[in-house]
Amino acid sequence: MLRFWNNFLLTQNLFALCAILFISCGFIDLRPIGISIDFFNETAEISNDLKLFSSPSGAPASNEKDYFLPDMYTPVILNFDTAMFKNETEASLQINSDLGAVRGDKFWKSNSLYFVPVSGWTAGIRYTLSFSGTIRSADGREMRVEHFISFYAINKNNPPLLEKHSPSNGDSIGTNDVIMEFYFSDSMERFSVESALTLDGFGNKNFEWLGDDKILKVIIEKPLSPYLFYRWSLKDSAKSKNGIPLVKTYNGYFTTDLDKTFPQVTNVYPVLFSDGSWYPTGSEIETGLQQGQGIAVSFNKTMGENVIRSLRFEPSLTGRTELLSNNSIVYIFTRAPDSEISYTLIVSGDTRDSEGIKIGTDYRITFVPDIPFLNVCSVLFNENIIVDNFDITNAIPVSVDQATGNLSLSIHFSLPFNNDEKKNVPLKITINPFFPKTLPPIAVEYVNWISNDRLYMRWEGLSPGESGTEISNYYVVTIPGGKNGINCESGIFMKEDITFYLEAVK
């Protein structure tokens, strides 16, 4: 009886256990979540068997097939066979490339998750879709996923390469007419390359494309500075005509130190203008510069444009600078240097050669012009009295017609006058009453230049002393000197005033 009772209890327990197991299995849904990924006209089926996506080491591996998206904004679509917890599912989806993580907009249509890149897909770049983590459906099912699928967009062409460039890295080049060249393996999209190219310190530049847009020439408009290190960079945003960017950012550099000869002054000498050209006089500049001559400065190499502005004088002299040749200049005076004055000619240390290399320090040379002062050789009164010594202190007796009061002077100068100065000279020569103070003023009646260095003047209104008295009438003649006095051709003037007195007699 006891054995029967034990068997009965065992049977009842087994029935109860089976009932519990049956009831429990009714609440557990072990069905996998169905997932597929749409790539435009192809679908990647995702299996819940992780072994199908595992490498030999057990780590997840990419699929062998590369899928393709035809447009830069074609979405990648993850399709689920049931409603999902959206935030968790979206967090499990990442898309990356060699350029980094792809930023995109994620949104749902029914049970499908869409991914659209913010900046669009880049042609020729291999992307990897990573769907990894634990996802949950709305009906409570969970599934661990870890899948990697690669794909391309727009095209699968090879990315372009910068095959070579000129100047090469580390090259020494000149500063003038610089042209950089870039050679690509594929035809390039011009604007993207020009925008991606950075040239530090190059100034204005022009672009020229050759060879079906595989060769870019960059023409630098202005000369570069000498002895500088120049860098350039071509970013990986430059694209081929197929829209594929460069595989990397390229950088380069070169130096403008090809010319290692510094400019310097080799000679300074007087020159004479004849038959349309300037010729050396053979004299030394220190004491040999004469009236009507210019000063030439020669250098050891071809000079730049600023050599025209390189000269100055102390004290200052007026004139202009012209090129004689590619390595020499001439200074042409608009007014002759003053006699007996020591001048210093200075060539600025900022003067540059054709490569832009500076002289470095001011070049100086001192000279005293061999230019005489203007002098009065003689004065002829009334065509019968010649005076050639103006150091006399006594008054010079001259005959004056009592009826007309006329007195004529013929002045012989040591140098010729130009036409402009001929007009000014008679206005500066004066004869004024000296004694007694009551003498009436006199005036110029007639002026004539007999030659370029001889001036004839006739005055009226002079009067001799009264007859029967011992009182004479005196007049003072002034021929003004100095810079503001009488000037002949090229601005040469008399050193000082010439003054002498006349005694008017009958």
Side-chain angles (χ1 to χ4, degrees):
M1 188 68 181
L2 180 61
R3 180 181 296 175
F4 173 79
W5 183 249
N6 289 337
N7 289 335
F8 176 77
L9 291 175
L10 179 61
T11 301
Q12 292 296 320
N13 290 334
L14 288 173
F15 274 108
L17 179 61
C18 289
I20 293 171
L21 289 173
F22 178 78
I23 294 171
S24 299
C25 289
F27 288 93
I28 297 175
D29 191 347
L30 299 179
R31 292 175 301 160
I33 300 172
I35 308 172
S36 66
I37 303 179
D38 286 348
F39 292 97
F40 188 58
N41 59 354
E42 293 186 273
T43 300
E45 296 291 343
I46 298 224
S47 171
N48 65 333
D49 186 356
L50 296 183
K51 293 181 181 179
L52 297 178
F53 293 87
S54 300
S55 65
S57 63
S62 299
N63 61 299
E64 295 182 357
K65 181 177 180 180
D66 289 325
Y67 293 90
F68 178 75
L69 298 177
D71 188 78
M72 66 184 299
Y73 289 104
T74 301
V76 173
I77 308 171
L78 274 69
N79 301 304
F80 301 90
D81 63 356
T82 185
M84 305 295 293
F85 280 97
K86 294 182 178 180
N87 290 342
E88 295 177 359
T89 306
E90 291 177 10
S92 299
L93 175 62
Q94 302 290 332
I95 297 180
N96 296 275
S97 73
D98 291 339
L99 302 178
V102 179
R103 294 177 58 248
D105 294 325
K106 298 174 183 178
F107 58 91
W108 291 82
K109 290 184 179 180
S110 186
N111 294 334
S112 296
L113 172 59
Y114 284 69
F115 182 98
V116 179
V118 172
S119 301
W121 306 112
T122 300
I125 297 295
R126 186 177 184 179
Y127 293 93
T128 299
L129 181 150
S130 170
F131 190 48
S132 177
T134 299
I135 59 175
R136 291 191 302 158
S137 62
D139 57 16
R141 286 178 288 167
E142 290 187 1
M143 188 170 73
R144 176 70 180 173
V145 292
E146 194 165 2
H147 304 303
F148 303 86
I149 299 177
S150 62
F151 64 93
Y152 288 84
I154 305 174
N155 63 60
K156 297 182 182 180
N157 295 332
N158 293 327
L161 301 172
L162 178 61
E163 295 181 331
K164 65 176 181 177
H165 55 84
S166 174
S168 299
N169 287 345
D171 277 359
S172 293
I173 69 167
T175 61
N176 293 313
D177 304 321
V178 175
I179 299 177
M180 302 181 65
E181 296 181 349
F182 299 88
Y183 296 81
F184 299 92
S185 60
D186 202 353
S187 297
M188 303 299 291
E189 197 279 311
R190 294 184 178 185
F191 180 76
S192 70
V193 176
E194 294 172 6
S195 300
L197 182 61
T198 301
L199 305 175
D200 294 335
F202 285 71
N204 295 334
K205 53 191 176 293
N206 295 315
F207 297 104
E208 180 180 344
W209 288 89
L210 303 171
D212 193 25
D213 291 347
K214 291 184 178 180
I215 301 173
L216 171 61
K217 285 189 173 184
V218 183
I219 303 169
I220 311 302
E221 290 187 355
K222 295 183 178 181
L224 302 179
S225 298
Y227 292 93
L228 286 186
F229 188 84
Y230 284 89
R231 292 182 179 273
W232 60 266
S233 175
L234 182 61
K235 297 179 182 177
D236 54 10
S237 58
K239 298 180 181 180
S240 67
K241 287 187 175 179
N242 293 322
I244 306 175
L246 293 173
V247 295
K248 66 175 184 178
T249 294
Y250 293 87
N251 297 285
Y253 66 94
F254 57 84
T255 54
T256 51
D257 60 352
L258 182 64
D259 188 346
K260 296 184 170 54
T261 302
F262 282 81
Q264 61 183 11
V265 176
T266 57
N267 197 9
V268 179
Y269 52 95
V271 288
L272 179 65
F273 189 76
S274 178
D275 297 328
S277 300
W278 291 93
Y279 297 95
T281 64
S283 301
E284 299 294 331
I285 186 62
E286 288 82 357
T287 58
L289 180 67
Q290 297 184 1
Q291 178 192 1
Q293 296 177 356
I295 298 179
V297 180
S298 60
F299 301 85
N300 64 329
K301 57 191 305 190
T302 300
M303 301 302 292
E305 294 179 355
N306 80 327
V307 72
I308 294 295
R309 301 178 295 276
S310 64
L311 299 185
R312 70 179 191 272
F313 294 87
E314 293 179 355
S316 178
L317 289 171
T318 60
R320 69 183 188 278
T321 305
E322 294 182 359
L323 284 174
L324 275 180
S325 65
N326 59 12
N327 68 336
S328 62
I329 55 177
V330 59
Y331 191 85
I332 305 169
F333 297 100
T334 54
R335 180 185 177 92
D338 294 343
S339 303
E340 300 179 1
I341 297 295
S342 178
Y343 293 94
T344 299
L345 181 149
I346 303 169
V347 182
S348 172
D350 289 329
T351 305
R352 302 172 184 264
D353 64 11
S354 59
E355 290 292 321
I357 305 174
K358 295 181 181 181
I359 291 178
T361 57
D362 289 352
Y363 173 89
R364 295 171 176 265
I365 188 170
T366 300
F367 64 96
V368 177
D370 184 19
I371 298 176
F373 284 106
L374 174 66
N375 290 314
V376 175
C377 300
S378 63
V379 178
L380 176 64
F381 294 96
N382 291 334
E383 300 181 0
N384 57 16
I385 300 177
I386 297 178
V387 177
D388 55 11
N389 180 13
F390 303 102
D391 292 332
I392 57 175
T393 57
N394 296 329
I396 303 170
V398 292
S399 298
V400 175
D401 189 302
Q402 190 170 4
T404 63
N406 287 345
L407 174 67
S408 65
L409 284 76
S410 180
I411 306 174
H412 181 202
F413 294 96
S414 61
L415 295 171
F417 286 76
N418 58 37
N419 291 331
D420 290 335
E421 292 300 336
K422 285 181 179 179
K423 300 175 184 178
N424 298 325
V425 171
L427 302 177
K428 295 180 179 181
I429 298 175
T430 62
I431 299 180
N432 293 311
F434 180 74
F435 182 84
K437 297 297 184 180
T438 56
L439 290 175
I442 61 176
V444 177
E445 181 188 31
Y446 178 77
V447 173
N448 181 41
W449 281 92
I450 301 173
S451 64
N452 290 337
D453 59 356
R454 292 180 182 271
L455 172 63
Y456 177 84
M457 301 181 68
R458 186 167 65 239
W459 300 75
E460 63 179 357
L462 286 82
S463 62
E466 294 293 333
S467 60
T469 68
E470 296 181 357
I471 299 175
S472 299
N473 292 340
Y474 294 89
Y475 297 86
V476 59
V477 180
T478 303
I479 305 176
K483 292 184 178 180
N484 296 322
I486 292 175
N487 288 262
C488 70
E489 188 173 2
S490 300
I492 299 176
F493 55 87
M494 296 195 307
K495 188 174 184 179
E496 56 189 11
D497 294 350
I498 294 179
T499 302
F500 52 91
Y501 296 89
L502 303 178
E503 181 184 3
V505 297
K506 295 180 180 179

